C-alpha cells in the first residue's frame, strides 16, 4: 500500500516540477520577445541617420552596427554586409534577408513581429529621404504596438 502512495507522490512531484520548469521557460521567452522588440531605439537611430546625414545606407548601417547593442547591432551589421555584397539585388530584399538572418533563427519574436520589421525595407533606396523616413516611422509605431502586446503577455 505504501509503495503505491510513494509512486503517486513521486509522479505528482515530477509533474509539478515539469510544469514549473515549462512555465519558467515560456516566461523567459516572452520576456526575451520584449527585449528583442526594444530594437525600436535602433530603428529610431536609423531613421535619424538617414534623414540628417544623407549618407549611403551601407555607411549608415555600418555606423549603427557599432553604435547599437544586441539584436539591433546584429541587424545593422548584417544589413551592411548584405548591401556590400548584393550589388544587383533590391534593397528591400537585402533588408528582409538581413532581418531573417540576424533575428529569424530560434527567436522569441513572432512571425508577425518579423514581418513588421521587414516592412521597414519596402521604401529603402526607392524613395526620397522623407519617404524612407516616413515608412520607417510607420514600422516603429507598429513595433511599439507589438512591444506593448509583448509586455502585456508577460504580466
Amino acid at each position: 500500500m505504501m509503495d503505491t502512495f510513494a509512486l503517486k507522490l513521486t509522479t505528482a512531484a515530477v509533474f509539478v516540477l515539469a510544469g514549473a520548469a515549462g512555465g519558467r521557460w515560456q516566461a523567459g521567452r516572452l520576456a526575451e520577445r520584449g527585449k528583442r522588440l526594444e530594437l525600436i531605439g535602433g530603428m529610431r537611430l536609423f531613421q535619424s541617420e538617414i534623414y540628417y546625414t544623407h549618407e549611403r545606407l551601407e555607411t549608415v548601417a555600418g555606423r549603427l552596427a557599432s553604435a547599437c547593442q544586441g539584436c539591433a547591432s546584429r541587424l545593422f551589421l548584417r544589413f551592411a554586409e548584405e548591401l556590400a555584397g548584393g550589388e544587383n539585388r533590391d534593397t528591400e530584399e537585402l533588408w528582409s534577408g538581413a532581418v531573417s538572418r540576424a533575428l529569424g533563427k530560434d527567436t522569441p519574436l513572432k512571425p508577425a513581429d518579423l514581418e513588421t520589421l521587414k516592412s521597414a525595407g519596402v521604401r529603402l533606396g526607392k524613395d526620397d529621404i522623407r519617404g524612407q523616413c516616413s515608412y520607417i516611422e510607420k514600422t516603429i509605431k507598429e513595433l511599439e504596438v507589438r512591444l506593448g502586446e509583448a509586455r502585456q503577455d508577460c504580466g
Side-chain angles (χ1 to χ4, degrees):
M1 187 78 159
M2 193 59 143
D3 291 324
T4 304
F5 177 74
L7 179 61
K8 288 179 181 178
L9 184 64
T10 303
T11 303
V14 168
F15 279 125
V16 167
L17 290 174
R24 202 172 171 85
W25 178 80
Q26 183 64 22
R29 286 195 52 91
L30 288 171
E32 185 64 24
R33 178 177 175 229
K35 286 180 191 173
R36 295 273 174 103
L37 284 173
E38 289 181 346
L39 57 84
I40 292 169
M43 292 300 293
R44 286 204 184 283
L45 286 173
F46 188 43
Q47 180 186 24
S48 295
E49 287 282 325
I50 290 171
Y51 189 78
Y52 292 110
T53 66
H54 302 273
E55 291 181 331
R56 295 176 50 86
L57 290 173
E58 185 177 344
T59 304
V60 170
R63 187 170 38 252
L64 290 177
S66 299
C68 294
Q69 295 178 346
C71 59
S73 177
R74 286 193 310 274
L75 173 59
F76 292 118
L77 177 62
R78 180 61 75 170
F79 185 48
E81 292 170 351
E82 295 274 341
L83 286 166
E87 295 161 6
N88 294 326
R89 292 175 48 209
D90 183 51
T91 307
E92 179 182 359
E93 182 183 337
L94 296 172
W95 174 260
S96 181
V99 170
S100 295
R101 287 177 188 83
L103 305 172
K105 295 178 184 170
D106 192 34
T107 181
L109 295 177
K110 293 182 176 181
D113 300 335
L114 292 172
E115 288 306 313
T116 297
L117 195 54
K118 287 177 182 180
S119 75
V122 169
R123 303 301 323 152
L124 291 177
K126 296 179 185 173
D127 210 346
D128 65 356
I129 289 172
R130 192 171 300 249
Q132 292 177 65
C133 289
S134 294
Y135 217 83
I136 292 171
E137 181 64 30
K138 174 194 160 299
T139 301
I140 289 169
K141 289 192 183 308
E142 287 182 41
L143 289 173
E144 287 171 342
V145 169
R146 298 213 175 272
L147 179 58
E149 291 171 357
R151 287 182 175 151
Q152 200 171 27
D153 288 346
C154 284

